[in-house]
Amino acid sequence: MVDYNYTPPRIFSNLGKLPNTWISLAVMILAGASEGIGLALFVPIVEIMSGNADQATQGAAWLTAGLEFVGLPRSVPILLVCVAVLVIGGFALTYLQAYLLNRGKYQYVKSMRHRLFKALFQSDWHHLSTRTHGDIVNNLLVESTRYGQSLAFEVKALALIALIIVYLAIGAALSIEMLLVVFVLGGLVAAAVTPLMRRAIGLGQETHTSNRDFSFFLVEALRSSKLIKVTASEELVENHFQSINEDLRRIFFRSETNSERIHFSVQALPVLALTIVIGVAHLYLDVETSVILVFLVIIARLAPRLTQLQQTCNQYILRAPTIPAIRAMIAAAEDALENQALALKKFDALETEILFEGVCYRFPETTVDVLTDISIRIAKHEMVALIGSSGAGKSTLVDMLASLRQPTGGAILIDGTPLTELDARSWRRRIGYVTQEITLFNDTLRNNLCFVHPEATDDELWESLRMAELDDVIRDMPDGLETMLGENGVRLSGGQRQRLALARALVGKPEIILLDEATSALDSEVERAIQKTIDQIAGQLTVIIVSHRLSTVRNANRIYVIEQGRVVEDGSYDELVASNGRFAELHKIQAT
């Protein structure tokens, strides 16, 4: 249900945020004055042509006095030239105002998208990992554009109000009595349109919600496309899509229908009002025919501006719900800004060891520790493995080691320095990271390899491929390093994708390699090949392996067994098998 009592941000509350706002407003006022004065010059033209030049109205007298002041004679040809110059000049200024407004709008949309994107990726991992992808995509792609449009509509509305005031001032100079009649009738038109405008407020909120839900569904459906195909669930997903698509159609139809009703009302009612104005002016106000005609021309030019103002306000109302939504997302991300202070110590190289001292961790907004009193030592160039059942806390340990999460108790020491005192970016730049879920980009193999280190040379890329035992495969490809991989590397097999991820992790000569379930989804042959690579780099780099497959950690210097957030035992592979503890149980299970 939509709350039709929802109040959008007050119009003009964001005025001035768009670049060129005040220049745009000034140009619009000049455009209105130029066009209005040009049209008003028809009064003396009609009076001269009708032979009533000596009985000029007050307004016409002011206009002709202005001409005489600048040294122009009062003649029909001169007046007609002035009309053409002023009116066309007004049109040109209107075009310039639209150009400035559009340029400012898209500059603002670009900067808003960048601010949102930057805030998200500079926020801490907990915040970023809990944001829904559909909401992010919707705000970056759709709502940021609507945000810019809403600000542009604010500027346009104020410009139209200024323009209307200019027209009204010229109308008042021609006949204040007729203008008062217009005001009364205009109030009646506004009262008739108000209920439709109130309806537009609710429809604007509903449009924002429907756009968001549609984006959510698309992201989830595309992410799950393989599962959908394998399980023959296409029809179920299609039915769900049809339902959401129908909701979107209904909302947009209702919004545009409501807009058309308002448009019809502000077109039809002024026509009725104008007929009343003419009748009153002729029958009761005794206004000169030339003044009535030119006044009607002014009102005829004013009426579309009133329609534009109504439509502009309506469009602002439809888009206004996106303003608090995007502001809230940016504010939340900026509040969760990761600590990357320049004063923190830069990390260059691991000298001796990484030490977990009584580390505890509790997820935000929870009351139970998922890790308790973890003490682990990882010496430089050692291979250390973390073993345990699902949910034991292994990946959380890796997240803390990568400085994505901070301990809620204890400390992680890097050569004796708390990890929280190191610059997180310089620390992470020295880490090679490989996970079970490989991320490859729809780009060339070269760009995928040097994604983290774009400065890497071809020799360095080929060396990393050689270490991952993938160089022969790549050399056999027609385009070599320039091979396009397709979305998420569809041109490569699962094992090749995993080797490429490992090769990417080795580019840049990292200090530490983190392998988080990197071989758990591979067959035994591919696992052995990757294990061979891991064994080759052991002793040259510090290797930390998270795995539930014991075969992967056979050659680790030390293995830590973690269960329910605690280290229950540690030792070498053979020591743990002989100890008849939890590791021995897992060994028996996997051996059968």
Side-chain angles (χ1 to χ4, degrees):
M1 292 293 292
V2 176
D3 180 12
Y4 289 102
N5 293 319
Y6 160 78
T7 302
R10 182 171 50 86
I11 192 168
F12 305 137
S13 60
N14 298 289
L15 201 63
K17 291 187 179 297
L18 285 187
N20 305 318
T21 291
W22 306 115
I23 295 176
S24 178
L25 286 172
V27 170
M28 193 64 168
I29 293 171
L30 286 175
S34 178
E35 182 183 347
I37 293 172
L39 293 175
L41 286 176
F42 276 112
V43 173
I45 290 174
V46 172
E47 290 175 346
I48 293 173
M49 293 177 67
S50 62
N52 296 324
D54 295 332
Q55 301 176 5
T57 62
Q58 185 64 47
W62 290 345
L63 291 170
T64 52
L67 287 174
E68 292 172 358
F69 179 76
V70 296
L72 294 176
R74 183 178 149 184
S75 64
V76 171
I78 292 297
L79 289 172
L80 288 174
V81 170
C82 289
V83 168
V85 169
L86 288 170
V87 173
I88 293 174
F91 293 160
L93 288 170
T94 300
Y95 169 80
L96 176 61
Q97 187 265 347
Y99 171 82
L100 291 173
L101 187 58
N102 281 330
R103 188 174 70 173
K105 174 177 65 178
Y106 289 111
Q107 285 177 345
Y108 189 85
V109 168
K110 184 187 77 170
S111 65
M112 178 61 64
R113 282 177 173 156
H114 180 256
R115 183 182 172 190
L116 176 54
F117 188 87
K118 181 179 179 181
L120 284 168
F121 279 90
Q122 290 193 350
S123 64
D124 61 50
W125 175 242
H126 175 74
H127 177 83
L128 181 58
S129 63
T130 54
R131 300 305 94 186
T132 56
H133 292 178
D135 201 16
I136 293 173
V137 170
N138 181 55
N139 280 337
L140 283 172
L141 188 61
V142 178
E143 300 303 330
S144 57
T145 300
R146 285 162 56 84
Y147 192 124
Q149 289 172 339
S150 67
L151 299 186
F153 282 129
E154 280 189 312
V155 178
K156 190 173 182 179
L158 187 58
L160 286 168
I161 289 173
L163 192 58
I164 288 168
I165 291 173
V166 170
Y167 278 121
L168 292 176
I170 295 172
L174 294 175
S175 174
I176 190 67
E177 296 88 352
M178 292 179 67
L179 187 62
L180 290 174
V181 175
V182 169
F183 271 126
V184 172
L185 295 175
L188 295 175
V189 171
V193 172
T194 297
L196 295 174
M197 296 292 289
R198 190 177 295 114
R199 172 72 169 167
I201 294 174
L203 290 171
Q205 185 187 14
E206 197 168 348
T207 299
H208 168 71
T209 302
S210 295
N211 275 331
R212 183 192 61 193
D213 292 345
F214 192 72
S215 296
F216 280 9
F217 174 78
L218 286 181
V219 169
E220 294 298 325
L222 292 172
R223 185 186 297 156
S224 309
S225 57
K226 190 170 186 179
L227 174 64
I228 292 167
K229 294 296 292 183
V230 171
T231 57
S233 302
E234 296 94 336
E235 187 173 348
L236 292 174
V237 177
E238 182 183 345
N239 290 339
H240 193 187
F241 174 83
Q242 186 69 359
S243 174
I244 296 176
N245 198 27
E246 171 60 22
D247 287 342
L248 203 62
R249 181 207 64 81
R250 177 178 55 83
I251 296 306
F252 276 97
F253 173 74
R254 289 168 59 193
S255 295
E256 293 197 17
T257 299
N258 192 69
S259 297
E260 291 301 326
R261 287 172 183 163
I262 297 174
H263 183 60
F264 170 78
S265 299
V266 297
Q267 280 188 317
L269 294 177
V271 171
L272 180 60
L274 279 178
T275 60
I276 296 174
V277 169
I278 295 172
V280 170
H282 178 68
L283 297 175
Y284 301 105
L285 300 180
D286 194 27
V287 179
E288 291 289 335
T289 302
S290 61
V291 173
I292 293 177
L293 291 175
V294 176
F295 188 89
L296 290 179
V297 172
I298 296 293
I299 297 301
R301 295 297 298 162
L302 176 63
R305 301 299 190 276
L306 291 170
T307 301
Q308 285 180 317
L309 177 60
Q310 166 274 313
Q311 291 176 331
T312 298
C313 292
N314 185 54
Q315 292 301 319
Y316 170 81
I317 290 170
L318 288 174
R319 289 162 175 76
T322 198
I323 296 176
I326 288 192
R327 282 182 174 173
M329 179 172 277
I330 291 176
E334 291 179 342
D335 287 344
L337 181 66
E338 194 170 42
N339 185 10
Q340 295 178 353
L342 296 177
L344 294 177
K345 181 180 178 181
K346 300 291 184 181
F347 174 80
D348 293 318
L350 185 65
E351 300 295 337
T352 56
E353 63 180 7
I354 300 169
L355 196 62
F356 285 71
E357 282 192 341
V359 169
C360 300
Y361 185 77
R362 179 183 303 170
F363 286 105
E365 302 176 359
T366 62
T367 58
V368 179
D369 287 345
V370 295
L371 292 173
T372 305
D373 195 25
I374 299 291
S375 294
I376 295 174
R377 181 180 181 273
I378 306 169
K380 180 178 180 178
H381 292 175
E382 266 194 341
M383 183 193 300
V384 172
L386 306 178
I387 293 293
S389 55
S390 297
K394 306 184 300 297
S395 292
T396 303
L397 275 173
V398 171
D399 287 347
M400 285 197 293
L401 184 57
S403 196
L404 296 177
R405 303 185 189 276
Q406 308 305 324
T408 53
I412 302 174
L413 304 177
I414 311 299
D415 296 328
T417 301
L419 183 55
T420 52
E421 295 180 11
L422 292 178
D423 173 67
R425 292 178 62 83
S426 66
W427 167 250
R428 293 171 189 157
R429 293 281 292 180
R430 305 298 295 148
I431 293 175
Y433 185 50
V434 185
T435 66
Q436 176 182 349
E437 296 180 0
I438 300 302
T439 299
L440 296 176
F441 303 99
N442 186 16
D443 204 339
T444 63
L445 195 146
R446 176 194 300 277
N447 290 339
N448 272 276
L449 270 175
C450 62
F451 172 71
V452 179
H453 297 280
E455 73 285 356
T457 65
D458 279 10
D459 289 342
E460 290 173 328
L461 298 183
W462 283 112
E463 174 61 17
S464 68
L465 289 170
R466 184 195 63 76
M467 294 178 68
E469 297 193 352
L470 193 61
D471 54 329
D472 289 341
V473 175
I474 304 306
R475 292 185 195 279
D476 288 340
M477 292 181 173
D479 296 323
L481 290 175
E482 307 307 322
T483 301
M484 289 295 298
L485 298 185
E487 187 171 357
N488 209 26
V490 295
R491 292 196 59 180
L492 302 178
S493 68
Q496 290 170 342
R497 292 171 66 248
Q498 198 74 34
R499 292 186 200 185
L500 180 59
L502 181 57
R504 178 170 60 192
L506 294 171
V507 174
K509 297 181 174 58
E511 284 285 318
I512 300 162
I513 293 289
L514 290 178
L515 304 173
D516 190 356
E517 298 285 7
T519 62
S520 60
L522 303 177
D523 59 46
S524 298
E525 182 179 352
V526 176
E527 182 192 10
R528 282 193 296 272
I530 291 180
Q531 184 60 50
K532 180 181 176 183
T533 299
I534 295 172
D535 291 340
Q536 286 177 350
I537 63 177
Q540 305 175 48
L541 304 174
T542 303
V543 180
I544 301 167
I545 303 174
V546 174
S547 180
H548 68 273
R549 293 171 69 164
L550 304 188
S551 56
T552 306
V553 302
R554 183 67 180 83
N555 297 325
N557 299 103
R558 180 160 291 273
I559 300 169
Y560 290 87
V561 182
I562 302 171
E563 291 295 335
Q564 297 181 348
R566 295 178 181 272
V567 175
V568 295
E569 55 184 344
D570 65 275
S572 68
Y573 191 97
D574 293 334
E575 289 172 347
L576 290 174
V577 170
S579 67
N580 291 323
R582 177 57 178 161
F583 187 87
E585 293 178 9
L586 295 173
H587 185 267
K588 289 177 182 178
I589 293 171
Q590 294 192 21
T592 57

